[in-house]
Amino acid sequence: MIKEHEMHQFNKTIIYLIFLIVSVFVIYPLVYVVSGAFAPGNSIASLDIVPFKNGITFEHFVELFTKNDYGRWFLNTLLIAVETSAATVVISSLSAYVFSRFTFRFKKSFLMSLLILQIFPSFVGMIAIYVILLRIGGLDTLWGLVLVYTAGNIPYNTWMVKNYMDTVSKSLDEAARIDGASHFRVFAQIIMPVAKPIITFLAITSFTAPWMDFIFPKMVLRSPENQTLALGLFAFVSDKKNEFTVFAAGSLLVSIPFVIFFLVTQRTLISSFGGAAVKE
């Protein structure tokens, strides 16, 4: 018994040691970026390997808002993320309800086409996207970028929400229709509350995807006043500049509302799974 106890303690020690090493590798870069945001100077080469050893200053945060348009970048990114999330949730959930609850010609073909569209990476159609936005006047506009993100989100998310709605008991629909409910009322008041977990997950992923995307904003946006956080912050660590500490300060500010949003929606997601309705 003593040897078994000692072996058990040894195994626990090894496991804790492994987790400690992994935690250090994961946490240290984050702590280093935080220390860089408050460190004096601009270059990353001047930073000590020990976090916060260089001292603490708030001048980089002041510089973001006084010498740069950080507030404008933040507002642009927030508008794009919120509008993309809202549009994706509405369009994908409506499309998923149609595919889940209705039977019509070419239904399987449409579903298969959505799946095939998702196979190809979005970069394949960048030239086509650029030409389309040019023709409809969507270049260098925030709504043009929202259109690109929303269109790219629809195929996979429609499949995902549709598969979830398929598990919802159709007896709920039938009971509502007996009471005289229309299709839209069934969708809004019966299906959507039951599908709240997947809708919440969809809102989270649709919000986070455009938050720090760089490729599509670089292609679509041109004017300085339309820049997003990714474009604005990248300028601090480009070939022309080496202001890592200012970049770190901006990155830190980006993460704060992002983490808050994720924590709030994560709680909603967990509670939604716990309160889901009856399924088949």
Side-chain angles (χ1 to χ4, degrees):
M1 288 291 293
I2 297 178
K3 289 185 177 181
E4 291 182 0
H5 178 71
E6 291 178 351
M7 183 60 68
H8 180 67
Q9 288 295 116
F10 177 76
N11 292 337
K12 285 180 63 177
T13 303
I14 294 299
I15 292 174
Y16 288 144
L17 183 60
I18 293 174
F19 280 136
L20 179 62
I21 294 174
V22 173
S23 300
V24 170
F25 276 102
V26 173
I27 295 175
Y28 177 78
L30 300 178
V31 176
Y32 191 75
V33 171
V34 174
S35 67
F38 293 95
N42 291 326
S43 175
I44 187 175
S46 63
L47 296 180
D48 196 280
I49 192 172
V50 179
F52 298 103
K53 191 176 180 179
N54 295 85
I56 296 178
T57 180
F58 292 92
E59 62 181 10
H60 306 307
F61 297 94
V62 176
E63 182 179 344
L64 283 172
F65 293 96
T66 57
K67 298 181 180 179
N68 300 278
D69 293 329
Y70 186 86
R72 187 66 183 178
W73 303 340
F74 191 95
L75 180 60
N76 290 341
T77 307
L78 182 63
L79 289 174
I80 292 171
V82 171
E83 291 175 6
T84 299
S85 180
T88 301
V89 167
V90 172
I91 297 175
S92 296
S93 58
L94 284 171
S95 303
Y97 176 73
V98 172
F99 282 116
S100 176
R101 289 304 194 260
F102 291 87
T103 301
F104 50 89
R105 183 179 293 183
F106 304 123
K107 176 181 176 179
K108 291 184 178 180
S109 300
F110 283 133
L111 286 172
M112 188 57 63
S113 64
L114 291 177
L115 188 62
I116 293 174
L117 285 174
Q118 199 61 34
I119 295 175
F120 300 98
S122 56
F123 303 112
V124 174
M126 288 187 68
I127 296 177
I129 292 172
Y130 183 88
V131 173
I132 292 173
L133 291 178
L134 180 63
R135 296 289 177 84
I136 65 175
L139 281 180
D140 198 25
T141 62
L142 300 184
W143 67 263
L145 194 56
V146 172
L147 185 63
V148 171
Y149 286 137
T150 304
N153 289 340
I154 290 175
Y156 172 76
N157 291 317
T158 298
W159 257 96
M160 180 177 65
V161 179
K162 183 260 182 190
N163 290 335
Y164 188 92
M165 288 183 177
D166 287 343
T167 66
V168 179
S169 176
K170 293 185 178 180
S171 61
L172 297 175
D173 304 39
E174 296 170 356
R177 289 198 182 92
I178 291 175
D179 293 337
S182 62
H183 286 295
F184 183 78
R185 186 176 181 184
V186 171
F187 167 77
Q189 298 184 2
I190 305 297
I191 302 300
M192 288 297 285
V194 177
K196 189 177 179 181
I198 198 65
I199 297 300
T200 304
F201 176 78
L202 176 59
I204 295 173
T205 55
S206 301
F207 181 89
T208 57
W211 190 256
M212 287 304 294
D213 181 41
F214 178 80
I215 300 298
F216 282 108
K218 184 68 174 178
M219 180 187 73
V220 176
L221 304 178
R222 294 289 186 272
S223 304
E225 62 271 14
N226 288 334
Q227 283 190 328
T228 61
L229 285 169
L231 296 178
L233 291 178
F234 180 76
F236 292 117
V237 290
S238 62
D239 296 334
K240 298 179 180 179
K241 287 185 178 181
N242 184 22
E243 300 180 10
F244 172 79
T245 51
V246 181
F247 174 85
S251 302
L252 184 61
L253 292 178
V254 169
S255 65
I256 293 175
F258 181 80
V259 170
I260 294 174
F261 172 82
F262 182 79
L263 290 176
V264 171
T265 52
Q266 187 182 44
R267 293 172 184 173
T268 304
L269 181 62
I270 294 173
S271 62
S272 299
F273 274 117
V278 180
K279 299 179 184 179
E280 290 181 332

